Amino acid sequence: MTPCPMCDTHPTTGYLCTRCTRTLDEQLLRMPALYRALGAFLPPAARGTQHGGRGPAAEAPLPVAEHVLDLRGPGGMVGVLERQRAELHAARGWAEPVLGVGILNRITLAAGALSHSLSWAAESWPAAGDLARAIRDLHGSAASVVHPRLAEERGTRLGMCPQLVSEDEADGVCGAVLRHFPGDRTVTCRWCGTVYEPSAWTALREWIDYEEAEAKDRLAQAG
């Protein structure tokens, strides 16, 4: 068994541990509800346009919530889900998926299809970690609008802390999950207490990307 490439903590015989698979499934099943909920955060004129109508005239236009429009547009939630579904179909040797009619219907179909294949993906698909990260980021982007307080409480997951620490007379990497919280000017490891100033974030990101790539290579070699 090897560490799960998603959490790098729990063991797995495949490509995702049971906990990360369950979390991914929950996120996928929330996608249609999140898409609907995002509609409430569009300006009135944009809401009218989404449904093919015209918004009421106004003396001054309301500011457009561009990130919400992006998430609800063709390249947003539906684009990410359908790309992941197409890659999964290709990996399984299936025909290209048939798209639904209307963005909400397409999101529901794509998320449901991915959820249906999660057991296979977790055990047999080397790209399962990429799928989990793509859906985690998508879910986080939508949830940060719909449930901003929850996003603030959890923070944005960056990766593992690279600080060297000593434990029982042995040195090793801390490895705790680093999170950035809205409004914070620094990133602080809640396990070893290391503080990462903004000037160190680029190097930190490079180290995290390197570690994730190394984990993928180890899994590929083990498979």
Side-chain angles (χ1 to χ4, degrees):
M1 300 182 77
T2 58
C4 171
M6 183 64 183
C7 65
D8 202 30
T9 301
H10 301 95
T12 177
T13 57
Y15 295 97
L16 283 180
C17 68
T18 301
R19 180 175 295 184
C20 287
T21 302
R22 183 169 60 249
T23 298
L24 175 56
D25 192 31
E26 292 170 353
Q27 291 172 343
L28 284 168
L29 295 178
R30 290 192 198 110
M31 288 296 168
L34 282 172
Y35 175 82
R36 288 192 295 267
L38 284 170
F41 295 87
L42 290 169
R47 287 201 293 269
T49 302
Q50 287 277 325
H51 293 88
R54 293 185 177 180
E59 294 181 1
L62 291 174
V64 176
E66 292 185 2
H67 59 296
V68 178
L69 286 172
D70 289 342
L71 284 167
R72 285 177 56 89
M77 296 178 71
V78 67
V80 173
L81 290 165
E82 289 181 343
R83 281 194 299 274
Q84 293 297 326
R85 185 187 180 189
E87 291 179 9
L88 185 143
H89 273 234
R92 303 200 73 172
W94 293 352
E96 291 186 8
V98 177
L99 304 184
V101 178
I103 291 182
L104 177 57
N105 179 247
R106 289 165 59 185
I107 285 175
T108 303
L109 288 176
L114 288 168
S115 173
H116 184 73
S117 289
L118 275 191
S119 294
W120 173 84
E123 288 296 324
S124 308
W125 194 24
D130 294 334
L131 167 65
R133 280 183 282 273
I135 300 305
R136 177 198 65 197
D137 293 346
L138 181 62
H139 182 274
S141 295
S144 67
V145 176
V146 177
H147 305 295
R149 184 168 299 176
L150 182 62
E152 289 179 4
E153 290 173 357
R154 293 182 177 177
T156 300
R157 184 185 186 280
L158 300 180
M160 303 302 180
C161 175
Q163 180 65 30
L164 291 176
V165 295
S166 296
E167 185 175 350
D168 296 331
E169 299 183 355
D171 293 334
V173 172
C174 171
V177 174
L178 293 173
R179 294 184 182 276
H180 179 258
F181 295 87
D184 285 0
R185 297 181 62 85
T186 60
V187 173
T188 302
C189 177
R190 296 194 171 189
W191 180 259
C192 70
T194 300
V195 177
Y196 296 93
E197 300 286 344
S199 59
W201 290 1
T202 298
L204 178 63
R205 182 69 259 174
E206 290 175 352
W207 185 90
I208 291 171
D209 289 342
Y210 173 79
E211 285 297 304
E212 290 179 349
E214 286 287 297
K216 288 182 185 178
D217 288 342
R218 289 195 296 270
L219 284 172
Q221 292 171 6

